[in-house]
Amino acid sequence: MQPVADETALEQWRHVHNVVVPPAAMSLDEVRERAGRYRLENAYVGDVLVGCSTVRPPEGEEAVATVIARVLPEYRGRGYGTALYDGGLAHARVLGARAVETCVPTADEDGLRFAGARGFVEVERYVLDGETAEWVDLRLMPCCGRCGDTTIPLQSCGNHMWAASRSS
């Protein structure tokens, strides 16, 4: 993973975003503006661009960060999304996140499966004003308890994830 740091990287991030999320296609100026607010990264295998990610910093009383991993369709199922997601979670942790959310268009069945497999559950469905695409906001839910340790925020116990202490 490489942070988006120059015009070439911005255009590459934009390319992946627009391929994976066509209902929210962005101009290069919009990506530049977003790069000023969020952490944007690109994922490469060698010199080949395979994906990108966004981490929105924690907000509100719950300190909710948003972590979004995107992988070009031809590179899915090879672990690149997991690497992007894990890197995003680590960065959210550094920023002080106590909870994590993501958003996925309902048309992205792969994205919804990916989020569900990592412990995200649907919080809300909506259509933005003036748009037609339906979106799903999902939140990373507390671990199922199989690992025995439910007090460390934003940690993984293998296949089980949790976002906040279950004891609080």
Side-chain angles (χ1 to χ4, degrees), residues 40-62:
L40 307 181
E41 289 189 328
N42 288 331
Y44 303 90
V45 175
D47 292 337
V48 177
L49 178 68
V50 299
C52 73
S53 67
T54 302
V55 177
R56 298 177 190 162
E59 294 181 343
E61 287 182 24
E62 295 182 69

Side-chain angles (χ1 to χ4, degrees), residues 9-89:
L10 284 168
E11 181 55 47
Q12 290 173 335
W13 186 95
R14 176 181 174 268
H15 169 75
V16 174
H17 178 276
N18 291 353
V19 167
V20 175
V21 195
M26 299 174 70
S27 71
L28 192 53
D29 284 339
E30 289 170 318
V31 175
R32 282 187 198 103
E33 187 274 329
R34 185 168 286 196
R37 293 182 292 136
Y38 307 142
R39 180 181 178 92
L40 307 181
E41 289 189 328
N42 288 331
Y44 303 90
V45 175
D47 292 337
V48 177
L49 178 68
V50 299
C52 73
S53 67
T54 302
V55 177
R56 298 177 190 162
E59 294 181 343
E61 287 182 24
E62 295 182 69
V64 180
T66 301
V67 176
I68 305 167
R70 300 173 202 86
V71 175
L72 292 168
E74 61 269 29
Y75 297 105
R76 292 181 180 170
R78 301 182 198 179
Y80 306 133
T82 299
L84 282 162
Y85 169 74
D86 288 347
L89 271 184

Side-chain angles (χ1 to χ4, degrees), residues 91-107:
H91 188 69
R93 217 178 284 124
V94 167
L95 296 175
R98 293 191 311 267
V100 173
E101 292 183 346
T102 195
C103 57
V104 181
T106 56

